[in-house]
Amino acid sequence: MPVTSIAPATQHAGIGWRHPHYAQVLEQLPQVGFLEVHSENFFADGGAALATLVQARSHYSISLHGVGLGLGSDCGIDAWHLERLARLVERIEPVRVSDHACFARGSLNISLHRSDVHAADLLPIPFNAASLDVLCANVQRVQDRLRRNILVENLSAYIDMPDGDRSETDFLNQLTQRTGCQLLVDVNNIYVNALNAQRQTGCTRNVESAVHSCMAWLDGIRAGSAGEIHLAGHCAMDGIVIDDHGTLVCEGVWRVYAHAVQRWGVVPSLIEWDTAIPPLQTLLDEAARADAMALLVREGAAA
């Protein structure tokens, strides 16, 4: 059975394009708003992966989403990583380039020699002036090299970072004002953080309270800052909610998404799925739901 989706005129939502679906997407060319890939998977100068992405680019808009820049790292941006990204951007001409507001890189001094190490994870940063200065400097360096503004994603975090002196929304608003970057607003990350915050304060998990907390978070973001939205699933493990991108988007996250559309209008939105990857049709159905919900919210606002 051929893969189907919704009519092109209403398509704004895209899907995360992962290896299990490479061939099927290129063979069947389903109707979808855009494809998003992890930038680092295509850093080689040639090979099958890059050729596959180039082929997809002839049919779809491509969004490059990075996981390795470590934009909040005090030791700066890895020059090799940035150059590989710049070459990929020049080759693919993506509609958007994004990475995370996280710490990932550090330096060790061993026998008077500096050695840079990468945590291979998206680690949280404190929301204070010093972290903001580091993040702004790194974002600006990336933007200068790429000759375009990038998007920075809010993080799912599982601990309270010490030394914060402002809210996450104030921190991100100052980032966009100082650098001109936009935000990749991950609605699932906000929701996961809201649920985990209830646990940290000893409260019983309450979906309604989490949804309203997320809506207030969205209300705190400057208008026009959101350049893309991520939607994903999560799981609970030992009392902690984990942003694992391995299930359908839950109803609470859909409600927060509707509020985002109501606040900001239609923003390019992505169904992100990285573990226990389902059949392609499942992703397309989720993208179709995002488009249908955005249309309903927009029509309701216009009525």
Side-chain angles (χ1 to χ4, degrees):
M1 179 181 297
V3 175
T4 59
S5 187
I6 59 176
T10 60
Q11 288 173 345
H12 299 281
I15 61 172
W17 193 38
R18 305 298 181 249
H19 187 271
H21 298 145
Y22 282 2
Q24 189 178 6
V25 166
L26 292 177
E27 289 168 3
Q28 300 182 351
L29 299 179
Q31 296 174 354
V32 67
F34 63 98
L35 301 178
E36 185 166 278
V37 298
H38 287 155
S39 307
E40 290 81 3
N41 291 338
F42 303 91
F43 274 4
D45 286 324
L50 183 59
T52 299
L53 185 59
V54 169
Q55 185 179 353
R57 179 65 182 85
S58 66
H59 300 286
Y60 297 100
S61 296
I62 301 295
S63 181
L64 294 178
H65 184 51
V67 295
L69 277 173
L71 292 169
S73 303
D74 185 52
C75 64
I77 299 295
D78 179 77
W80 179 89
H81 191 115
L82 181 55
E83 286 306 307
R84 303 312 303 182
L85 177 60
R87 293 181 64 152
L88 182 62
V89 168
E90 291 167 3
R91 180 72 179 270
I92 299 300
E93 297 183 339
V95 287
R96 288 173 295 280
V97 179
S98 58
D99 210 299
H100 299 77
C102 73
F103 156 71
R105 299 180 66 248
S107 297
L108 296 177
N109 290 319
I110 303 175
S111 300
L112 301 180
H113 295 285
R114 169 176 159 165
S115 176
D116 290 341
V117 295
H118 199 290
D121 205 345
L122 307 175
L123 304 176
I125 56 178
F127 302 130
N128 59 32
S131 288
L132 182 62
D133 287 344
V134 168
L135 184 59
C136 288
N138 289 337
V139 167
Q140 196 59 61
R141 180 183 174 192
V142 172
Q143 293 185 149
D144 289 345
R145 177 61 186 90
L146 300 185
R147 298 191 293 275
R148 61 156 70 198
N149 290 344
I150 65 170
L151 283 70
V152 178
E153 179 180 340
N154 57 291
L155 208 62
S156 57
Y158 306 105
I159 59 172
D160 284 330
M161 290 298 295
D163 302 324
D165 59 20
R166 65 203 70 190
S167 69
E168 183 178 22
T169 51
D170 286 343
F171 185 86
L172 294 175
N173 285 337
Q174 292 168 50
L175 169 69
T176 59
Q177 287 176 314
R178 286 174 55 174
T179 67
C181 76
Q182 286 190 293
L183 299 178
L184 194 169
V185 176
D186 191 310
V187 174
N188 188 62
N189 287 357
I190 307 168
Y191 189 74
V192 164
N193 290 348
L195 291 175
N196 285 331
Q198 293 175 354
R199 176 180 181 272
Q200 291 168 2
T201 57
C203 298
T204 302
R205 186 172 297 163
N206 185 300
V207 168
E208 196 67 25
S209 176
V211 167
H212 285 287
S213 174
C214 294
M215 290 178 177
W217 193 101
L218 296 177
D219 291 342
I221 294 296
R222 282 196 315 133
S225 296
E228 184 175 319
I229 292 173
H230 273 187
L231 299 163
H234 54 264
C235 69
M237 183 181 300
D238 296 327
I240 299 176
V241 183
I242 305 295
D243 174 43
D244 69 339
H245 303 169
T247 58
L248 295 170
V249 178
C250 77
E251 293 304 314
V253 170
W254 282 121
R255 288 176 59 192
V256 179
Y257 177 64
H259 186 73
V261 175
Q262 190 174 38
R263 286 277 300 167
W264 303 329
V266 178
V267 176
S269 301
L270 181 87
I271 302 301
E272 194 174 27
W273 206 309
D274 294 305
T275 62
I277 295 177
L280 177 61
Q281 187 64 53
T282 301
L283 299 183
L284 297 175
D285 289 344
E286 291 283 270
R289 182 173 181 179
D291 279 326
M293 180 172 289
L295 182 61
L296 283 174
V297 172
R298 186 172 52 184
E299 289 178 343

